[in-house]
Amino acid sequence: MKKFLLFTAAILFGFATMAQVVIYQDDFELYTTGDYLATQSADWTTWSNAPGSSEDAFISEDQAQSPIKSVLVEGSSDLVKPLGDKTSGKYEISFGFFVPATFGGYYNLQHFESPGVEWAMEVYFGSDGNATVHAGGENAAAFAFNLDEWIDVQNIVDLNNDTAELWINGTFIHGWQFSLQSGGTAGTLQLGGVNLFAGALAGDTPKYYFDDFLYQELPNVIYEDDFESYNVGDYLAVESEWWDTWSGNPGSAEDGLISDEQAHSGTQSLKIEGTNDLILLMGDRISGQYQVDFYYYVPAGYGGYYNFQHFETPGVEWAFQVYFGETGDGFIHAGGEDAAFFTYNHDEWVLCSQFINLDDDWAELYIGGNFIYEWQWSLQSFGDPGTNQLGGVNIFAGAPTGETPLYYMDDIVWTEISSSSDPNIAVTPTNFQEIIAQGTIVNDNMNIENTGSANLEFDLEIIYNIADSKSIPQNETTNVANHKVLSNSLVSKAPNPQSGGSPTPSDDVILNYDGDNASAVGLTNPGIWQASAKFLNVLTLPYAGMELTSVEIYIHDLVAGFTLKIYGEGDYDYEPGDLLAEQVFTPTAESWNTIVLDEPVTITGEDIWVGYEMDQQGTDIFPAGYDVGPADPNGDWIKTGIAWGHLSSSPDFDCNWNIRAHLTGDVITQWLSVDPTLGTVIPGENTDITVTFDATNFEIGSYSATIQVNSNAPTTPLIEVPVMLGVIVGIDEAEDNTAIMIYPNPVADYLNINSNKEIQTIRMINYVGQVIFNRSVNNELIKINTSDYRAGIYFIQITTVDGIITKQIVIQ
């Protein structure tokens, strides 16, 4: 059983707050007086990384904030406390600081653990009791302090928002953009270290003590709202950029109103009733630990509901759902249907607390301060596998079946407890331009590096540039009325299904997930919707070069607007890309239907979505055929509004659409491969990928493709690496005793070639295999004017009495 051992909830002024996470704390009482600090503690070093040298500082009993020891900084002391080169999170670095009368003092923060790269801020304590701060600019702030007294110094660094604050004895002194260097020049958004140096203002002698050093990660309040800053009757999603409605229509009937009928604090809250359907946008976070708290008030005789979504675009995956019944009983769907139950009091404010640990894929729910349930977060509400991601909170006017929804929400606080940052991917090289001899196989390397602070997961796809890519303008219709419902009431089964069996066998290559037709599905409310199957790269790549010429679909009942829709690969797994083909068709009811494409779609190796749209204008109609299952994660995509989801998200539908894509034609000879095709890279590490170019039985010419790198790096989930292959005539290499010198390389104007053997001929070949320079030399050196050639990669073939040597050059 997993527990959040660092989570300690408390209530402060009506809001939920979280305990800090102490990274390092020291009162220096365990060290030997008179000995150096950095030699006794591995947590400290000196500017030159020389513990025990004159840069180190002594443990002293001359002064102490608590109980009897502190660290004395004087002379040439130059201590450094490394802080880990943090790039995200919110941190406090605090300590007691004592400057004796007639002396001065100094400390600074560094952007890098390796000191001297960038000063983030500097504070000078003068012997006259006045201090100067350089932070975001020289002489940015000043303050007075008392000599011969302990001073509380507190530095707050918020890397998530690129801000910092300095507090002295609990008084705010200065705030600034943390990534700026102390003098105000641009710098790096990173927290590297603290430098406690024997420095002082000009004319002052440095001497000071520090004690009770604390370095901790603070809970980062991402968003909080008590709804007091709005006017009564305002639409929340109109007034606040943090909120949207399910269908993206702020100010519509889906939006919620600010009310003064009830309030947990102040006089106002958010009222939810009728068709209200709000989304708190959370940004599709994939790492870190979060707490979301709010107060909830359900009047007697009414019910309530809210849910969390794995994706900010709603309707893709329900993470969990909470129902408040009019009887005072509640239940949740979390990792499974009816996973837990609870009771609550009507006409009272109830605290709802959610703890979501994306790093460990775990979650906990508390209602009224009582532990209710814990579960694997990535599971969807009914237990289906889902995505380990935090997308949004859906505040919807819902209630248990047969009950009327009405409730109020107040004092919402969303806190980041741990800033375990996201992975970040770097791919080198950014492109390949290879020229190889006909009939040969050549390997090269591609490197994938994780420069982030969480594990990087990646997979690679090969996509061939077989024909000019094309897409057609999309004119999507969104069915606002039937955007989603709770539980499994979105779609219903045909009451008296008659199995449609399988279509007529074919010699074509067929892409499909389904088996025989078993039944059909229809919407519970009229609207436009789509059914689709997504065929992944692993399925399409073996057939690159063939064409998708027809699609087979089982249709049970006829509705309006049947339109075949084929999409390319999207930037994210949960939505398609460009619309590649769109074709209206008129099907036959209770039958398999074959739609022959007017313009076939070339298979390149990218993911391809194949499906159809329909306009269902009535209830008790069941147009879309499906099989007996079990559902493949890519065989049951459904779109009823602005987002794609899975039919199997409802526990009643463990099945696949009856959709089959027929491919005809010839496959290309596949000349590009990568190994491995997927992997994990831990923070700070990298891995090499072997890229193989195979020109066996290839014609002379040029070929192109793309290596697509998919990853969980949130800023760059997809990186495309263009690949150009030039195949040239075969060559016999010269003997090993032939020495060739080519310079400069890269070259701009003139290329010099020297050899220890007589050069008979020189040929220069471009990347498409064309010979652009061919000359008899009969000398040991030659100078070639390259200024008229286009920039790029070329091959030089040098023929001597010993054979041919081929060298690659770059013309700038």
Side-chain angles (χ1 to χ4, degrees), residues 652-696:
D652 290 342
F653 294 95
D654 185 18
C655 53
N656 304 284
W657 299 120
N658 287 130
I659 297 174
R660 304 183 180 189
H662 286 241
L663 312 182
T664 60
D666 298 321
V667 299
I668 64 169
T669 300
Q670 300 204 9
W671 50 266
L672 181 64
S673 61
V674 293
D675 184 39
T677 58
L678 53 83
T680 301
V681 184
I682 65 175
E685 297 296 326
N686 64 86
T687 188
D688 283 331
I689 306 296
T690 300
V691 182
T692 301
F693 304 86
D694 187 349
T696 305

Side-chain angles (χ1 to χ4, degrees), residues 202-437:
D204 285 352
T205 301
K207 180 179 180 180
Y208 62 89
Y209 303 82
F210 71 91
D211 199 1
D212 296 333
F213 191 98
L214 174 65
Y215 172 39
Q216 62 183 351
E217 185 173 7
L218 300 176
N220 175 35
V221 177
I222 301 172
Y223 167 75
E224 61 181 325
D225 206 334
D226 60 6
F227 307 110
E228 297 298 313
S229 63
Y230 313 111
N231 296 318
V232 173
D234 280 350
Y235 283 113
L236 178 59
V238 171
E239 301 298 325
S240 173
E241 63 183 7
W242 287 94
W243 293 86
D244 200 354
T245 74
W246 188 274
S247 300
N249 291 312
S252 70
E254 289 182 332
D255 210 340
L257 296 175
I258 303 301
S259 169
D260 60 359
E261 297 169 3
Q262 301 290 341
H264 177 259
S265 67
T267 61
Q268 297 178 178
S269 64
L270 174 66
K271 182 178 182 180
I272 301 297
E273 63 179 344
T275 58
N276 296 157
D277 204 352
L278 284 162
I279 297 289
L280 172 62
L281 306 173
M282 292 182 151
D284 288 344
R285 295 172 186 257
I286 62 173
S287 66
Q289 301 174 27
Y290 303 90
Q291 178 179 351
V292 184
D293 298 278
F294 46 80
Y295 283 86
Y296 204 89
Y297 183 102
V298 183
Y302 293 94
Y305 168 89
Y306 69 87
N307 72 67
F308 276 56
Q309 299 276 312
H310 281 152
F311 290 83
E312 190 173 79
T313 298
V316 180
E317 292 180 10
W318 277 258
F320 72 96
Q321 305 177 62
V322 182
Y323 288 84
F324 295 80
E326 65 181 17
T327 61
D329 297 309
F331 59 93
I332 69 169
H333 305 318
E337 190 172 3
D338 296 329
F341 301 87
F342 61 92
T343 60
Y344 73 101
N345 292 330
H346 283 94
D347 295 325
E348 293 183 8
W349 285 99
V350 179
L351 174 63
C352 302
S353 299
Q354 287 78 197
F355 301 97
I356 300 160
N357 185 337
L358 296 174
D359 300 323
D360 292 337
D361 191 12
W362 206 250
E364 295 180 4
L365 173 67
Y366 292 76
I367 301 290
N370 298 312
F371 171 76
I372 303 300
Y373 193 60
E374 61 182 356
W375 71 99
Q376 181 182 336
W377 168 256
S378 62
L379 294 177
Q380 298 182 56
S381 60
F382 286 99
D384 297 313
T387 306
N388 188 23
Q389 182 169 282
L390 177 59
V393 183
N394 179 209
I395 306 302
F396 172 64
T401 302
E403 298 181 8
T404 302
L406 172 63
Y407 60 91
Y408 302 82
M409 171 191 273
D410 202 0
D411 295 340
I412 184 169
V413 183
W414 172 26
T415 305
E416 183 178 29
I417 301 163
S418 171
S419 65
S420 174
S421 66
D422 296 327
N424 189 51
I425 189 171
V427 178
T428 53
T430 57
N431 65 82
F432 287 95
Q433 294 188 33
E434 295 284 341
I435 299 178
I436 67 177

Side-chain angles (χ1 to χ4, degrees), residues 464 466 540-546 602-605 666-670:
Y464 290 101
I466 299 170
T540 64
L541 183 59
Y543 305 110
M546 299 184 73
T602 301
I603 301 299
T604 64
D666 298 321
V667 299
I668 64 169
T669 300
Q670 300 204 9

